[in-house]
Amino acid sequence: MRPAALALAAMIACSTAQARPAPAPGDRYVALGSSYAAGPGLGAVADGAPARCGHGAASYPRQLAAKLRLKLTDASCSGSTTEHILGPWNEIAPQIEAVTADTRLVTVTTGGNDVGFVTNLGAAACATMPEAARPPQCPRPRVVSEADWRGVEQRMARIAAEVHARAPRARLVFVDYVTIVGPTGGCAALPGDADALASSRAQARRLAAITARVARRNRALLFRASALTQGHGPCEADPWSLGIAPGEPDGGVPLHPGPKAHGAIAEGLARLLARRG
């Protein structure tokens, strides 16, 4: 990886985070969050999680656990929201229940589904597809209110408080979302009119700002996957994330980070944890 990318990978914005020992080999690691943590389409795993959670063998939690020789409990689930971390989701128990007193590392990637981030990207792409390729019905864009944004931030803060209460000796790291929409707008891999894509870009920036603020105020570390993956969206020369088409087998699902993105995040997190030890 380029030196500049490695520098970005170590970016943190949480100088007030409590000093805790870096996780050691054999320590328990719990991953919480949505599909951007679960890694759907990145290779099959058999870990007992519901198939709809979409756990991928090359997800950043699994790569990080392998690098640091940690015992991973992957509680992340595709489609989940902050509410599903704090409470049950049909047959799935609250993700937070996986965090126990012996946990030494917790990573969290969440909030995107609360505000329809992928839904809105899909709606923008669908609306501009050629008629022959367009599905019978495009998804409706999600209109996000100020109350919605406040709710996301409040629940993310509750997640941090729950982690600290359940696992006082754990390192808590918020990992924000990868950058999908670049500054140049759309392309064949990521179609959409300029206004819709600009709205998604602004939505991503606001979610990243909320994640950073929650981490700073709640004794957590922040890993800026959004900064690390700038310049590597579906429309860039070296894409680390997918556009509207699925990847090759084990290559990821549309509008999600692919193997390169997850690998870079895992590498950056390993460096971040070592430097904060």
Side-chain angles (χ1 to χ4, degrees):
M1 189 184 297
R2 295 171 300 177
L6 288 175
L8 282 173
M11 289 180 68
I12 58 173
C14 311
S15 60
T16 59
Q18 287 187 350
R20 290 177 172 85
D27 280 350
R28 189 162 185 267
Y29 162 33
V30 176
L32 308 175
S34 66
S35 55
Y36 277 45
L42 300 180
V45 295
D47 60 359
R52 67 187 178 96
C53 287
H55 289 174
S59 68
Y60 82 74
R62 292 176 190 277
Q63 293 194 53
L64 178 63
K67 285 177 181 291
L68 301 184
R69 290 180 288 159
L70 304 175
K71 295 179 180 178
L72 173 65
T73 298
D74 189 355
S76 67
C77 193
S78 297
S80 68
T81 67
T82 53
E83 293 178 340
H84 301 136
I85 294 180
L86 295 165
W89 187 19
N90 298 328
E91 83 284 8
I92 301 175
Q95 293 183 29
I96 197 68
E97 291 185 356
V99 179
T100 53
D102 61 343
T103 303
R104 295 295 178 266
L105 174 65
V106 178
T107 57
V108 185
T109 299
T110 191
N113 291 322
D114 296 65
V115 296
F117 178 65
V118 172
T119 296
N120 287 353
L121 282 172
C126 185
T128 55
M129 285 181 180
E131 188 172 349
R134 190 182 307 166
Q137 186 173 1
C138 289
R140 289 185 177 183
R142 167 82 181 272
V143 178
V144 186
S145 68
E146 288 302 312
D148 291 330
W149 285 112
R150 288 193 298 270
V152 172
E153 186 161 357
Q154 290 165 0
R155 289 188 295 275
M156 288 176 72
R158 283 179 55 200
I159 290 166
E162 284 282 349
V163 169
H164 290 317
R166 291 166 179 264
R169 297 178 60 192
R171 286 280 187 89
L172 171 59
V173 187
F174 280 91
V175 181
D176 68 11
Y177 279 64
V178 304
T179 296
I180 299 290
V181 185
T184 57
C187 62
L190 187 66
D193 68 52
D195 288 343
L197 291 175
S199 177
S200 287
R201 188 163 51 243
Q203 194 177 48
R205 286 197 298 264
R206 187 163 185 179
L207 184 59
I210 287 173
T211 305
R213 190 159 56 243
V214 168
R216 184 175 65 250
R217 292 175 177 175
N218 292 277
R219 296 176 293 132
L221 299 175
L222 171 69
F223 185 84
R224 296 183 182 272
S226 57
L228 174 66
T229 55
Q230 282 183 358
H232 294 288
C235 295
E236 310 296 335
D238 182 18
W240 292 1
S241 297
L242 284 77
I244 58 172
E248 297 298 322
D250 298 345
V253 298
L255 305 176
H256 281 71
K260 285 186 177 181
H262 279 274
I265 292 168
E267 181 179 346
L269 280 168
R271 291 173 176 267
L272 169 61
L273 292 166
R275 290 177 182 179
R276 298 290 293 187

